[in-house]
Amino acid sequence: MLLDLNNRVAAHCGLRQVFQAISSELRRLFKCECVGLALPDASDETLRQHLIDFPEGKGHFKEGTIFPVEGSAAGLAYRRTKAVVLNSFSEVKANWNSEAFRTFSTIVQKEGTESGCFLPLMSEGRALGVLQLISRREYAFAGQDVEFLDQVANQIAITLKNALKYDEVTAANSRLAEAEERSRNESLALREQIERTSMFEDIVGSSPALRSVLSQVGKVAPSDSTVLILGETGTGKELIARAIHKRSMRAKRAFIAVNCSAIPPSLIASELFGHEKGAFTGATQRRLGRFEAADGGTIFLDEVGDVPPEIQVALLRVLQEREIERVGSDKPIPVQLRVVAATHRDLNQLVAEGKFRQDLLYRLNVVPINVPSLRERTEDIPLLVEYFVDRYGKKSGKKFKTIDRETLKLFQEYNWPGNIRELQNVIERAVILSEEDTFLVDETWLKREQPEVAGPTGALNGALLKQEKEMIEAALADSCGCISGPMGAATKLKLPRATLEAKIKRLGIDKYRFKVQPSK
């Protein structure tokens, strides 16, 4: 039997796996109902119920329970380093006068157990813990059983020592791996920030609109408040987010930028919050998410309006509780970071359409900053042109003496739907293709919107709006002005109530005129 037990424990490394391998066999051999393992804490004054195998238990013996060494049966075996056998709990509880044993007796009575054997697990002259065998029969452990159990305990003690060391090494390796991954993420973010060659290196301009934004940045940066940056695509929202981070108390920590619209919906939870090994197919090891990588610093959630609804719930928890959960784990992980979000979409409209949580919008919209479009700051265009011409000229080894005036005029008259990003791309292309020392661009590159295109489109949009208004009014008339409920207009149109209310407001429909007046 000893050989069989030894073979079982030799096949496992972790403490829980070793315990599971032997506990069922011990219960079978000694016809006892419960096997437990108690380990001492650092002070050596209390024991912790580390593991329990009690298939038919009522739940009164619990893992994690802490009890004092003095005055407990397991504690006595631990202190004396000798086996302690209690043949009948009902006989000894009157003579064992301690708070710990009285508590233990109460649990024993609730579980209906009658006897127990408590064996110290000895290694190099000291007890590592206590093996507990408990039975519902009185006098379940005879003298020869205890002698044999002493030999079993010696085998288990060797395995316990190795298993504890294995768990310590595993935990240390896990902490080291997390620290290394966090360090890699921070280094990657730093390299991206240093090697960045896009327009987001510096803020260029002196227009009143830009100065107003920079004034807001200067005021909000020292605080730790959540910031929501609004503006069209290409206006430099990430640049503003970086400016906030650089002027904050978190400037020396990581700035992690995440483009929410660029991550597939199936991967965004793992990308943001990380995952545990085996959480899903392909999860071969634990991975830290962007929130953990940004711990202590700032996370920038670009295009937050594109986040799926199920991730919106998790983001709300981060903003409320400052904690996350990795995919495949239910253990909360605290994070201390600042959240800066950005979007080019109308979040209020998304809320009305049921595509964005209203409570999440409230949490994000603590300090809103509206970044002006390039057409709202045309006086900055000459400065921006000089800046980009100089940058891309140095990059391509070209030097321009002058900038063509017609080109500047053309730039200032153009609408720039792509904002600064479009301006940057046009200048880079012109620098690459230019063969003269005067910078100029081909005016055909800046195509203006044709008026004839806007007419039919506007007419079509007007026709569609008129048709939509007629359909809503017909549904309201059919439902006597009732919007919700099984016979309401929202049900007839197969629309969420909030969406229909938003459409009624936007189309200027008087829903009250469809209410049926009570007969006199």
Side-chain angles (χ1 to χ4, degrees):
M1 285 187 289
L2 279 173
L3 179 61
D4 181 52
L5 283 173
N6 188 60
N7 290 335
R8 285 173 178 269
V9 299
H12 302 279
C13 295
L15 181 56
R16 184 173 290 274
Q17 290 84 355
V18 170
F19 180 79
Q20 290 172 345
I22 63 174
S23 62
S24 59
E25 189 67 10
L26 289 175
R27 286 191 294 102
R28 185 185 67 82
L29 289 173
F30 296 97
K31 296 181 175 58
C32 60
E33 286 74 27
C34 175
V35 177
L37 175 64
L39 299 179
D41 65 1
S43 68
D44 218 31
E45 297 298 327
T46 58
L47 293 173
R48 183 185 190 88
Q49 193 65 51
H50 193 70
L51 297 168
I52 288 179
D53 182 13
F54 198 175
E56 298 178 2
K58 300 175 182 177
H60 300 291
F61 287 125
K62 298 178 181 179
E63 291 185 5
T65 302
I66 297 175
F67 53 92
V69 170
E70 298 299 330
S72 63
L76 183 62
Y78 178 75
R79 279 282 188 259
R80 293 182 178 179
T81 64
K82 293 175 63 176
V84 173
V85 178
L86 301 180
N87 289 313
S88 175
F89 290 136
S90 58
E91 288 182 5
V92 299
K93 68 179 180 180
N95 301 319
W96 201 311
N97 188 19
S98 73
E99 184 64 32
F101 193 76
R102 282 195 293 271
T103 302
F104 179 62
S105 297
T106 303
I107 296 174
V108 163
Q109 186 176 4
K110 290 179 179 179
E111 286 288 356
T113 52
E114 288 294 339
S115 60
C117 182
F118 304 86
L119 297 140
L121 301 175
M122 303 299 296
S123 175
E124 299 176 355
R126 71 183 188 91
L128 299 177
V130 180
L131 183 68
Q132 307 148 304
L133 282 76
I134 299 175
S135 173
R136 288 201 166 105
R137 297 176 292 113
E138 291 187 341
Y139 296 90
F141 304 98
Q144 62 267 33
D145 290 340
V146 178
E147 291 177 8
F148 176 71
L149 281 169
D150 274 330
Q151 298 180 61
V152 172
N154 290 333
Q155 292 295 110
I156 294 174
I158 296 172
T159 308
L160 172 62
K161 183 178 180 180
N162 294 333
L164 287 172
K165 288 184 177 178
Y166 176 82
D167 286 353
E168 288 176 4
V169 171
T170 301
N173 287 339
S174 178
R175 290 193 298 270
L176 181 61
E178 289 184 9
E180 288 178 349
E181 185 169 358
R182 184 177 288 108
S183 178
R184 283 196 300 270
N185 286 335
E186 289 185 357
S187 297
L188 178 62
L190 183 60
R191 285 201 304 272
E192 288 178 352
Q193 188 170 351
I194 293 174
E195 297 174 358
R196 211 166 181 80
T197 57
S198 70
M199 69 180 198
F200 299 122
E201 279 187 6
D202 298 301
I203 299 176
V204 178
S206 59
S207 63
L210 183 60
R211 287 202 303 270
S212 175
V213 170
L214 296 181
S215 174
Q216 289 179 278
V217 169
K219 293 175 182 177
V220 74
S223 72
D224 220 21
S225 301
T226 303
V227 179
L228 179 61
I229 305 173
L230 306 168
E232 297 178 9
T233 299
T235 52
K237 295 185 289 294
E238 184 176 349
L239 176 61
I240 298 301
R242 288 181 180 274
I244 292 171
H245 174 71
K246 289 178 182 178
R247 288 160 178 78
S248 72
M249 295 180 292
R250 303 177 182 271
K252 294 182 179 179
R253 302 302 298 270
F255 177 91
I256 303 296
V258 184
N259 189 329
C260 300
S261 63
I263 305 174
S266 59
L267 298 178
I268 191 167
S270 172
E271 192 70 25
L272 290 178
F273 309 117
H275 62 253
E276 296 289 347
K277 181 180 178 181
F280 50 84
T281 304
T284 57
Q285 61 183 5
R286 174 186 289 178
R287 179 183 178 185
L288 300 186
R290 300 294 185 92
F291 274 93
E292 285 185 85
D295 194 14
T298 302
I299 189 167
F300 174 56
L301 303 176
D302 197 9
E303 298 305 341
V304 72
D306 295 331
V307 172
E310 61 272 15
I311 304 301
Q312 293 178 27
V313 178
L315 285 180
L316 184 63
R317 179 178 180 180
V318 175
L319 293 170
Q320 289 178 336
E321 309 296 336
R322 295 297 172 178
E323 61 183 28
I324 64 166
E325 286 183 6
R326 297 193 189 111
V327 177
S329 171
D330 58 358
K331 179 182 177 182
I333 300 172
V335 288
Q336 294 297 326
L337 46 72
R338 183 181 200 164
V339 177
V340 179
T343 182
H344 74 284
R345 306 182 69 179
D346 185 347
L347 294 184
N348 287 308
Q349 180 63 31
L350 292 180
V351 168
E353 295 173 1
K355 297 178 180 178
F356 200 84
R357 293 181 64 96
Q358 190 173 45
D359 47 4
L360 178 57
L361 174 57
Y362 292 151
R363 287 286 179 178
L364 290 173
N365 197 29
V366 177
V367 181
I369 295 179
N370 286 280
V371 182
S373 63
L374 187 55
R375 59 184 171 274
E376 295 176 279
R377 41 180 292 215
T378 54
E379 55 266 61
D380 288 335
I381 288 179
L383 292 174
L384 287 165
V385 172
E386 290 181 11
Y387 176 76
F388 288 128
V389 168
D390 180 66
R391 169 190 290 180
Y392 291 114
K394 290 178 180 177
K395 188 176 179 179
S396 60
K398 297 179 180 180
K399 188 172 183 179
F400 296 92
K401 294 181 179 179
T402 59
I403 297 175
D404 182 60
R405 290 186 178 181
E406 290 299 319
T407 293
L408 276 180
K409 182 180 178 182
L410 184 66
F411 279 169
Q412 289 181 304
E413 292 177 350
Y414 183 59
N415 197 41
W416 296 111
N419 291 291
I420 300 176
R421 186 178 294 121
E422 184 183 6
L423 173 66
Q424 174 190 4
N425 293 338
V426 169
I427 292 176
E428 183 178 8
R429 186 197 319 169
V431 168
I432 293 171
L433 299 179
S434 178
E435 297 178 353
E436 306 293 335
D437 58 4
T438 298
F439 175 81
L440 52 84
V441 300
D442 187 338
E443 64 177 335
T444 60
W445 294 354
L446 306 179
K447 295 181 179 179
R448 304 175 187 276
E449 294 183 1
Q450 300 298 322
E452 61 268 23
V453 175
T457 302
L460 178 60
N461 289 339
L464 291 174
L465 289 174
K466 183 180 179 182
Q467 184 180 5
E468 185 179 29
K469 184 176 181 180
E470 291 174 351
M471 290 175 63
I472 292 174
E473 288 179 339
L476 286 169
D478 192 34
S479 60
C480 300
C482 182
I483 294 178
S484 59
M487 301 302 293
T491 304
K492 296 180 183 295
L493 295 171
K494 296 182 179 180
L495 290 173
R497 175 180 176 175
T499 303
L500 181 57
E501 291 276 13
K503 289 179 178 292
I504 290 172
K505 184 176 180 181
R506 179 165 54 87
L507 296 171
I509 299 173
D510 181 10
K511 60 184 178 181
Y512 299 104
R513 67 187 178 92
F514 297 98
K515 295 281 185 180
V516 176
Q517 298 297 325
S519 56
K520 296 182 180 179

